[in-house]
Amino acid sequence: MVEPVRHRLRGLYAITPDGLSAATLLARVGAALSGGAAVIQYRDKRSDETRRAEAARALLGLCRQFGACLLINDDLPLALAVDADGVHLGAADGDLRAARQALAPGRLLGASCYADFERARAAVAAGADYVAFGAVYASSTKPSAQRAPLSLFARCSSELRLPACAIGGITVDNAAPLLAAGADMLAVIGDLFEAPDVAARAVAYHQLF
């Protein structure tokens, strides 16, 4: 039986950027892991199915070396095919209950809940292991996203008793209020993977927890 990994849902949650070559992707993710990233979410909206599967398997191997989790963004079939640690689904990316049933015991299911606490409540009822709220700050990845109030994190802790991830415009400099509000994970793309030294930036995030 697979060992549950929910207890590892705290710390830097690194989301891979689009457009990197396979070699660059692995190098930067490896650097993030060496700096203490707890979770890697593989997000790739551009590559074909074969390339995504190859990259996911390679990333899973890296995550295993560092004791981190690999989650697949919005692609349950890929997560199942490579035996990833779980999948993260947005509102339009599949039914959470069906995903929960398809995932092996111990695998993780994450849900984007934006700025909607009732969506988070429904996600928990459907079997989610964690929820994500955002954008918490203005985000270049999703500039039109509704801003999520920081009060959502305290409510998640007290009412849902489930790990919550903050996402959207997060940097090392603006992260502290999110943790003070109760966020368990910080999802970061640009401020991490565009840093001159990815490992050092990951260390800086790791030291915040």
Side-chain angles (χ1 to χ4, degrees), residues 8 15 28 40-41 80-81 108-110 142 147 155 158 168 173 209:
R8 286 149 59 184
I15 301 178
R28 293 188 185 176
I40 301 296
Q41 185 194 111
L80 297 175
L108 295 168
L109 176 61
K142 294 185 178 181
R147 292 286 288 274
R155 288 192 67 188
S158 63
D173 294 331
F209 289 88

Side-chain angles (χ1 to χ4, degrees), residues 131-146:
V131 295
F133 294 114
V136 290
Y137 299 121
S139 169
S140 60
T141 304
K142 294 185 178 181
S144 61
Q146 181 182 355

Side-chain angles (χ1 to χ4, degrees), residues 9 36-37 44-45 59 95 100 108 123 125 127 136 140 143-144 165 175 182 184 191 198:
L9 292 176
D44 186 342
K45 302 294 187 180
L59 290 172
D95 180 74
R100 178 75 277 163
L108 295 168
V136 290
S140 60
S144 61
C165 180
D184 299 282
D191 190 58
V198 174

Side-chain angles (χ1 to χ4, degrees), residues 5-181:
V5 289
R6 186 188 286 190
H7 68 282
R8 286 149 59 184
L9 292 176
R10 180 169 177 79
L12 174 59
Y13 183 118
I15 301 178
T16 62
D18 284 324
L20 300 181
S21 69
T24 300
L25 173 66
L26 292 176
R28 293 188 185 176
V29 170
L33 290 166
S34 71
V39 178
I40 301 296
Q41 185 194 111
Y42 176 48
R43 180 181 185 274
D44 186 342
K45 302 294 187 180
R46 301 181 186 179
S47 299
D48 61 31
E49 183 177 335
T50 299
R51 290 188 62 184
R52 290 200 307 273
E54 291 173 350
R57 289 189 176 93
L59 290 172
L60 184 60
L62 271 179
C63 288
R64 292 286 181 268
Q65 292 177 33
F66 288 92
C69 297
L70 176 69
L71 305 180
I72 306 298
N73 173 265
D74 296 350
D75 193 337
L76 177 61
L78 177 58
L80 297 175
V82 303
D83 198 24
D85 293 304
V87 66
H88 183 93
L89 298 179
D93 300 312
D95 180 74
L96 290 173
R97 290 187 186 277
R100 178 75 277 163
Q101 292 175 359
L103 289 167
R107 297 313 193 202
L108 295 168
L109 176 61
S112 293
C113 298
Y114 313 102
D116 187 344
F117 188 77
E118 291 311 309
R119 182 181 292 275
R121 194 188 301 278
V124 173
D129 295 289
Y130 74 92
V131 295
F133 294 114
V136 290
Y137 299 121
S139 169
S140 60
T141 304
K142 294 185 178 181
S144 61
Q146 181 182 355
R147 292 286 288 274
L150 299 192
S151 59
L152 289 169
F153 297 100
R155 288 192 67 188
C156 188
S157 176
S158 63
E159 297 180 38
L160 303 181
R161 300 185 182 277
L162 204 72
C165 180
I167 187 169
I170 298 171
T171 69
V172 168
D173 294 331
N174 66 23
L178 304 173
L179 298 178

